[in-house]
Amino acid sequence: MSRRISTASRALALSLLLAGSAAADPAALYAAHCAACHGAGRLGADGPALIPETLGRMRGPDVAAVIAGGREATQMPGFADTLGAAEIAALAAHVTAPLAAVPAWGAPEIAASRIASPGYTAPEAPLHGADPLNLFLVVEKGDHHLSILDGDRFERLARLPTPFAVHGGPKFSPDGRFAFVMSRDGWVQKLDLHALAEVARIRAGINSRNIAISRDGKWLAVANYLPRTLTILDAADLTPVRIIDIVARDGSRSRVSAVYQARPRDSFILALKDAPEIWEIATDPAAGPFHEGFVHSHETGMEEALAAERGLFARRRIMVSEPVDDFFFTPDYRNLIGATRDGARAKVVNLTVGREIAALPLPGMPHLGSGISWMRGGRRVLATPHLGEPRISVIDLESWAVVATIETLGPGFFLRSHETSRHVWADVFFGPHRDAIHVIDKETLEIVATLRPEPGQTLAHVEFDRSGAHALASLWEEDGAVIVYDAETLAEIRRLPMRRPSGKYNVWNKITFSDGTSH
Ligand code: DHE
């Protein structure tokens, strides 16, 4: 009997739900409840863009749950008291559907989005007493802020708001004075680390991956998913100077996986996500002709001379056998090592000759973008964590052989070291041991310690201070902290409370391209 009633009531509930969803017009609901904060076209305003490219990366509760319950520590209210379940489901489906058409986001739209920070004036000298080259920037994902720390005293100097969902490392002007921070919604912020203030911000894309700064500090490249472009900004005032359409050799449009500065080459290197191509864009005004190599055509089997472009932003196209998503450069920037899409192998592409020169088996989704290298027994090695397996692979950068595998407590995301440190710090980002960080001897490759300061709480992403004497790790929780360790004794020295701190970046290590950190 009770079973029959529950079946009947389930049927009734389902028919009510279907009737409700037929009645719910998602576009009208969106206009009434969401457009004021997220923009009429779903591209974001005070709130983030509500498009699959942004929402697909959201961690935590699903979209319907966020609409119903709101988001803690943000302006996002819950709608469970205002809207029915069917309306919430309709809205969730609406905002996770691809945009019917990607709006134009070229130079005029980008330029119009620029906001100069009111009241900012450039000071003659730092307005703080800290070593300006030993500052840390800490991204706090919990409430979209960025903290600036004194890297000697480990005190917070400032806490500035950022756009929604900063991703990737900030990039610094060569003198370390200015930092550029990018959010997934394509906003790029310029910060003055002498004034501890924002200078300006601009929306360089609708959905972006990362940014790179040119060797001379004059240009910023913004890698976009939406639209399919690379935006070049003037780093002085953030105005757009060039929008490069990402059109592969076969005429198709592609997203950009990521862009990096290749300092010794005076260029940007970027990989196309949807086409088997790597591009080099000159940042040297005297560059070129940009055909110092030849490319092997997989269509004809012949060597083809690369098109000869010259000067600033000249482009060179390097064809590879399959797209690379996540990659690492050897310190001389002669070679790029990229993971293949299936996460099973890595390809070595020599950027000078412009072709693949080696392939190595690296199953388990190597996260080469987090790789670091150091000298071990007279040979340079690269270590990379794997996102899919509990180990770190160590690769000889001359022979391209995997020389060691370090078994860990789980798959990891980030690795860090410093020239002066004997150790590599490796987090265990995924699985039951995500509260642990391994400390690994760079010579013996043995795990010499495993730190677990708060059992059950994620501990991840390490960055050293300028001297290498201290290592800072994130207690990656809503009410989290940055924990400062003595890098030699591994003793905890200090804890600074933070809202879900993620990456942290030391100015000196970044501008000197320290071996142990990300670039
Ligand atoms: Fe990242 C850096 C790609 C998911 C936190 N991440 C980068 C970079 C790339 C990248 C290309 C280098 C950019 C740079 O610094 O110039 N990340 C990707 C992905 O493809 C992936 C797996 C899926 C995606 O969502 O796009 C991904 N990343 C994440 C996360 O889920 C993390 C943990 C949380 C978040 O913020 O989204 C995350 N990524 C980071 C951080 C860095 C980063 C903290 C900077 C690391 C550094 O030390 O420089």
Side-chain angles (χ1 to χ4, degrees):
M1 172 74 176
S2 67
R3 189 162 172 178
R4 236 182 302 147
I5 288 170
S6 83
T7 311
S9 54
R10 252 188 277 138
L12 178 66
L14 184 65
S15 61
L16 284 175
L17 191 73
L18 290 174
S21 61
D25 171 2
L29 287 171
Y30 181 87
H33 299 288
C34 318
C37 292
H38 296 282
R42 291 168 46 203
L43 298 184
D46 292 341
L50 296 183
I51 54 177
E53 289 79 1
T54 304
L55 295 171
R57 310 212 139 70
M58 208 172 79
R59 304 288 182 272
D62 67 20
V63 175
V66 173
I67 297 172
R71 235 184 211 289
E72 209 195 323
T74 71
Q75 307 284 314
M76 174 68 188
F79 287 87
D81 295 339
T82 329
L83 300 174
E87 291 172 314
I88 289 177
L91 262 181
H94 182 65
V95 299
T96 48
L99 289 171
V102 178
W105 204 258
E109 292 80 11
I110 297 172
S113 73
R114 184 178 175 281
I115 304 168
S117 204
Y120 166 76
T121 46
E124 295 282 313
L127 300 180
H128 53 82
D131 173 357
L133 298 184
N134 192 26
L135 301 179
F136 282 88
L137 269 53
V138 185
V139 173
E140 293 184 65
K141 285 177 71 72
D143 59 356
H144 310 288
H145 275 71
L146 186 141
S147 281
I148 303 175
L149 307 185
D150 174 335
D152 292 302
R153 294 181 196 88
F154 302 112
E155 284 165 3
R156 196 191 320 251
L157 300 172
R159 192 167 190 269
L160 307 174
T162 67
F164 181 82
V166 166
H167 181 236
K171 301 290 142 64
F172 296 86
S173 57
D175 61 1
R177 168 158 185 181
F178 296 101
F180 302 88
V181 181
M182 188 216 77
S183 77
R184 300 236 193 209
D185 276 352
W187 284 96
V188 176
Q189 257 181 315
K190 179 172 181 175
L191 307 178
D192 180 345
L193 301 181
H194 285 186
L196 302 176
E198 176 170 337
V199 179
R201 64 175 72 182
I202 193 162
R203 193 168 188 185
I206 294 173
N207 187 262
S208 305
R209 283 300 276 175
N210 81 324
I211 53 175
I213 190 162
S214 60
R215 184 168 85 165
D216 59 11
K218 285 189 177 162
W219 316 110
L220 276 180
V222 186
N224 297 320
Y225 268 11
L226 269 186
R228 311 291 199 241
T229 53
L230 182 83
T231 304
I232 310 268
L233 302 174
D234 184 329
D237 59 6
L238 294 187
T239 52
V241 289
R242 183 77 64 96
I243 313 295
I244 300 175
D245 285 328
I246 306 298
V247 182
R249 186 175 269 185
D250 67 4
S252 61
R253 305 290 301 254
S254 173
R255 296 168 290 176
V256 182
S257 284
V259 59
Y260 295 96
Q261 180 205 140
R263 190 167 57 155
R265 309 175 69 85
D266 204 347
S267 63
F268 292 128
I269 303 277
L270 52 138
L272 273 50
K273 190 169 177 78
D274 308 305
E277 296 184 21
I278 290 165
W279 288 12
E280 180 162 27
I281 307 270
T283 48
D284 171 6
F290 222 170
H291 62 31
E292 82 268 24
F294 290 83
V295 67
H296 179 78
S297 163
H298 292 280
E299 289 151 23
T300 62
M302 307 283 286
E303 303 290 298
E304 287 178 14
L306 288 155
E309 290 189 13
R310 287 171 184 273
L312 191 61
F313 309 140
R315 190 214 40 210
R316 177 180 172 218
R317 200 192 285 268
I318 297 170
M319 303 303 290
V320 287
S321 57
E322 52 191 311
V324 291
D325 219 0
D326 182 22
F327 44 99
F328 171 87
F329 296 94
T330 51
D332 56 10
Y333 283 82
R334 283 206 190 121
N335 296 296
L336 171 156
I337 309 170
T340 56
R341 198 55 79 72
D342 60 10
R345 276 155 299 130
K347 299 274 174 99
V348 183
V349 179
N350 183 291
L351 296 169
T352 308
V353 298
R355 77 167 68 102
E356 286 175 19
I357 55 164
L360 49 155
L362 271 185
M365 292 166 69
H367 190 16
L368 286 157
S370 282
I372 58 167
S373 82
W374 68 91
M375 295 302 290
R376 174 175 179 256
R379 292 177 78 92
R380 185 162 282 275
V381 293
L382 152 73
T384 176
H386 293 253
L387 299 175
E389 287 180 11
R391 62 192 154 76
I392 294 167
S393 296
V394 183
I395 299 154
D396 183 303
L397 287 182
E398 267 175 49
S399 67
W400 305 114
V402 179
V403 291
T405 300
I406 306 165
E407 303 298 332
T408 57
L409 284 172
F413 220 108
F414 305 107
L415 295 182
R416 273 296 196 277
S417 188
H418 190 274
E419 286 83 354
T420 62
S421 172
R422 294 183 286 130
H423 301 133
V424 172
W425 294 50
D427 58 44
V428 182
F429 203 83
F430 305 97
H433 298 285
R434 61 184 191 284
D435 53 4
I437 279 187
H438 293 305
V439 181
I440 300 166
D441 187 294
K442 279 156 109 172
E443 275 302 318
T444 65
L445 304 181
E446 272 165 20
I447 296 175
V448 293
T450 296
L451 307 172
R452 197 177 254 128
E454 289 295 336
Q457 300 196 8
T458 303
L459 185 69
H461 194 281
V462 172
E463 174 83 322
F464 284 73
D465 63 4
R466 175 178 177 165
S467 69
H470 299 96
L472 280 60
S474 289
L475 208 48
W476 195 297
E477 299 287 338
E478 235 20 80
D479 285 313
V482 159
I483 304 184
V484 182
Y485 288 96
D486 181 310
E488 191 57 32
T489 65
L490 309 184
E492 180 176 331
I493 305 242
R494 182 128 206 209
R495 234 177 238 223
L496 295 149
M498 305 245 174
R499 305 284 303 175
R500 207 175 181 78
S502 59
K504 60 204 80 56
Y505 310 91
N506 179 274
V507 174
W508 176 261
N509 293 341
K510 291 292 177 251
I511 63 172
T512 57
F513 285 69
S514 160
D515 256 1
T517 190
S518 61
H519 301 157

